[in-house]
Amino acid sequence: MAQDQGRPSAGGRHRRLYRAAWRPQTLRRADRGRLRGRQIRLRRARRRRVRRAEPGVPSQTHEAAYRQDVTVQRRATAWQRETHLGSAPTGRGKRQQVARKTSTRVARSRVSAPSEATATDIPDTSLSKAAAQVAKKLRTDIRGATASELDALDAIKTEGNWEVGGRIVHLTNLHKLLFPEDRYSKRDLIRYYVQVAPVMIPYYKDRPLSMNPHPDGIHGKSYWVKDKPDYAPEWIPTFRYQDQKGLKDWILIEEVATLAWLANHAVIDMHPWYSRVDKPEYPDWSVVDLDPAEGATFKDVIAVAKVVKSALDHLKLKALLKTTGQSGLHVYIPVERRYTLEESRGFVATLAHMIAELMPDKVTEVWEVKRRTGKIRIDYTQNVINKTLAGPYSVRPALRAPVSTPIAWRELDDSRLRPDKWTIKTLGDRLLEVGDLFHDALTLHQRLPAL
DNA sequence: GGGGTCT
DNA sequence: AGACCCCAACGCTTC
DNA sequence: GAAGCG
Ligand SMILES: [Mn+2]
Ligand SMILES: [Mn+2]
């Protein structure tokens, strides 16, 4: 809700690194004229490359390093060259490391081996049972909280150490109502995440996480965190990456205990990157973010989503659909990791533009929120490094504690569909009914056709 | 959640 | 000791 | 360069 953005930023340091322009090449002449007018111009950025510390060996910290992208013709200013070499503009110690510093491996100790999730360990809730079913079908060994662990969670008064998945997580303020109208506490949020973990984690594994804590609940101020805080447990693995400001260690969700720590930290929604740590500039998801403006109805969103679907059908692209828990819908196109984020964004931009021309009464390409009234924006600008959407099975900071829930395309015809149809209370039954409808997001590797 | 400062 | 304040992002788009 | 946006 209220976001702590708009903080004064350090003046001239944010100058563009971007020069070379990319344009869709095969547009009709009329479209080209319009595109010029709309300034849909996509820039090829200078990119930072990353390598794993030791290929094939899971490491605590992955190392990102700048590398000159010699394929891009550009004139660099002195300032840009300086920035490229990583002169860190900030004062904190970690930020001053040179980008090419070698990575460190930290032993990840467990207090005990996580127990095998045997049938008797699985809590007798629809969510835990459904998650276990799905995980079994997927043959993943990611497990959720056991029955005894959930009992122990309920036994903690308001603060205490909780052993889950072989880790100790210090939980605090468990009674704090993050969703006051629904009377859902932080304990309820934790209980959801540690149960859905086996279904959810495959979509977050190896994807750097942006966090948006809501310490005062859904009506309070939230703030963004990308760098793993110093007070976070050492056993939470991270991915080290250099952005324009400096080196940061992004949290990676690999196990149930990390979800417990995040939820305790009032991180309500989880925002994973569209790319994975071993190839961070090459996303495996292109996302189409349908954002209704004030005055647009969910029916309108559905109508636009159907057109997106038929466009993708014509292009022979399979895509996955999910509710956002707020008012729009998210479409994920699983792609082969051969396109840069610029190319991914360019594809979605062109798609958005074509659909906007097809249904100008429903779709707007306007940037300013105030001028979008009554229409849907197909937000292609999401396809950027470091920019994220709430991922599948993420809770959203809204009334009822809605969950971003995968749905089948044909469910768009169900008049009972609502953007907040599934919540932390009902997702278990939903999963028991339909299973995990987002599977293909991890297994398909499609090529994007030229538009 | 943590650090600093003021009362 | 407690009250209070501040901080914890970033990259593209548009004017 | 600065404000808008997510
Ligand atoms: Mn959206
Ligand atoms: Mn959006």
Side-chain angles (χ1 to χ4, degrees):
Chain A
M1 189 124 295
Q3 276 185 15
D4 188 11
Q5 46 201 15
R7 169 174 292 137
S9 56
R13 294 214 185 94
H14 299 248
R15 225 162 311 172
R16 296 279 170 278
L17 284 170
Y18 312 102
R19 274 288 114 82
W22 176 97
R23 289 168 223 280
Q25 285 161 4
T26 54
L27 292 171
R28 287 173 293 117
R29 177 163 302 173
D31 283 342
R32 241 175 286 159
R34 265 185 283 266
L35 277 174
R36 203 180 314 116
R38 290 164 204 274
Q39 295 159 4
I40 297 182
R41 184 186 312 130
L42 301 167
R43 284 130 179 154
R44 171 156 297 164
R46 162 184 304 220
R47 281 307 170 200
R48 308 150 205 92
R49 295 296 158 85
V50 171
R51 63 196 152 75
R52 263 199 192 251
E54 291 173 40
V57 182
S59 64
Q60 169 75 3
T61 301
H62 306 279
E63 176 72 15
Y66 271 2
R67 197 185 78 186
Q68 183 95 31
D69 188 346
V70 294
T71 63
V72 179
Q73 293 282 338
R74 47 184 302 286
R75 286 190 308 262
T77 65
W79 179 87
Q80 286 168 329
R81 274 191 295 274
E82 186 186 75
T83 303
H84 173 71
L85 293 173
S87 62
T90 75
R92 290 224 266 144
K94 173 164 47 181
R95 309 291 194 279
Q96 291 179 333
Q97 293 168 14
V98 183
R100 288 186 183 282
K101 175 192 163 294
T102 50
S103 67
T104 50
R105 298 230 280 143
V106 178
R108 288 196 253 150
S109 56
R110 273 177 209 277
V111 290
S112 63
S115 55
E116 291 296 306
T118 64
T120 51
D121 287 331
I122 295 168
D124 189 22
T125 65
S126 57
L127 184 52
S128 283
K129 286 190 284 192
Q133 267 178 27
V134 169
K136 189 173 177 185
K137 210 151 84 185
L138 252 64
R139 295 207 187 138
T140 122
D141 55 1
I142 303 165
R143 71 163 188 82
T146 63
S148 54
E149 285 167 343
L150 280 193
D151 288 344
L153 171 62
D154 286 337
I156 299 173
K157 295 289 178 216
T158 156
E159 173 174 1
N161 286 330
W162 184 37
E163 186 176 336
V164 61
R167 310 282 190 195
I168 304 279
V169 183
H170 185 71
L171 304 181
T172 51
N173 292 315
L174 289 172
H175 296 300
K176 188 186 263 186
L177 292 183
L178 297 179
F179 301 83
E181 291 84 357
D182 303 286
R183 304 200 55 78
Y184 294 150
S185 65
K186 214 161 74 172
R187 191 194 312 267
D188 296 317
L189 185 69
I190 295 169
R191 201 188 283 110
Y192 168 77
Y193 274 122
V194 299
Q195 291 186 88
V196 80
V199 186
M200 174 174 167
I201 289 179
Y203 301 101
Y204 294 72
K205 194 176 173 348
D206 298 324
R207 298 177 193 272
L209 184 80
S210 288
M211 299 172 277
N212 188 205
H214 286 72
D216 297 314
I218 62 172
H219 303 299
K221 242 187 190 173
S222 72
Y223 57 96
W224 287 93
V225 181
K226 300 188 175 183
D227 204 8
K228 178 186 175 185
D230 295 334
Y231 51 80
E234 52 79 23
W235 46 259
I236 293 182
T238 58
F239 169 64
R240 180 159 291 179
Y241 191 79
Q242 172 112 36
D243 63 28
Q244 282 186 30
K245 284 279 192 62
L247 274 181
K248 288 178 181 57
D249 294 318
W250 269 262
I251 282 180
L252 301 171
I253 301 177
E254 295 180 354
E255 56 175 303
V256 61
T258 298
L259 282 172
W261 182 82
L262 288 164
N264 181 67
H265 202 52
V267 178
I268 294 175
D269 46 357
M270 307 289 169
H271 290 248
W273 286 15
Y274 316 125
S275 55
R276 288 180 275 144
V277 293
D278 56 334
K279 219 173 172 185
E281 349 259 280
Y282 293 85
D284 48 11
W285 296 332
S286 283
V287 298
V288 184
D289 175 24
L290 303 184
D291 287 340
E294 183 91 30
T297 66
F298 191 57
K299 270 193 172 143
D300 296 331
V301 178
I302 289 172
V304 173
K306 286 180 174 177
V307 175
V308 170
K309 167 64 170 162
S310 71
L312 293 174
D313 281 348
H314 279 284
L315 297 169
K316 304 267 191 291
L317 285 170
K318 287 189 178 157
L320 293 305
L321 179 65
K322 65 184 177 71
T323 64
T324 62
Q326 318 249 61
S327 52
L329 289 170
H330 289 161
V331 177
Y332 281 45
I333 307 167
V335 297
E336 205 179 309
R337 292 195 291 174
R338 66 199 319 275
Y339 308 103
T340 62
L341 280 150
E342 291 76 9
E343 290 167 328
S344 168
R345 185 163 74 256
F347 175 82
V348 178
T350 306
L351 185 75
H353 177 62
M354 296 188 312
I355 293 171
E357 298 225 300
L358 212 58
M359 39 192 333
D361 51 326
K362 291 243 188 301
V363 176
T364 175
E365 294 188 81
V366 165
W367 176 249
E368 300 84 6
V369 167
K370 284 183 177 172
R371 296 203 296 119
R372 288 182 200 168
T373 42
K375 296 188 184 178
I376 316 296
R377 179 174 158 91
I378 303 175
D379 185 7
Y380 65 89
T381 71
Q382 285 296 339
N383 296 283
V384 166
I385 192 129
N386 224 334
K387 200 157 165 177
T388 50
L389 296 173
Y393 304 109
S394 171
V395 182
R396 307 309 309 283
L399 290 182
R400 304 185 64 220
V403 169
S404 182
T405 307
I407 60 176
W409 285 98
R410 61 173 16 155
E411 289 182 90
L412 291 178
D413 292 320
D414 186 337
S415 58
R416 292 163 302 177
L417 182 66
R418 294 287 178 277
D420 60 350
K421 181 155 181 190
W422 294 284
T423 71
I424 58 173
K425 284 294 173 238
T426 62
L427 191 85
D429 292 333
R430 163 73 178 178
L431 271 182
L432 278 179
E433 276 171 35
V434 303
D436 174 24
L437 296 177
F438 232 56
H439 270 170
D440 290 348
L442 296 178
T443 57
L444 295 180
H445 311 284
Q446 304 176 103
R447 295 210 176 189
L448 295 174
L451 287 182

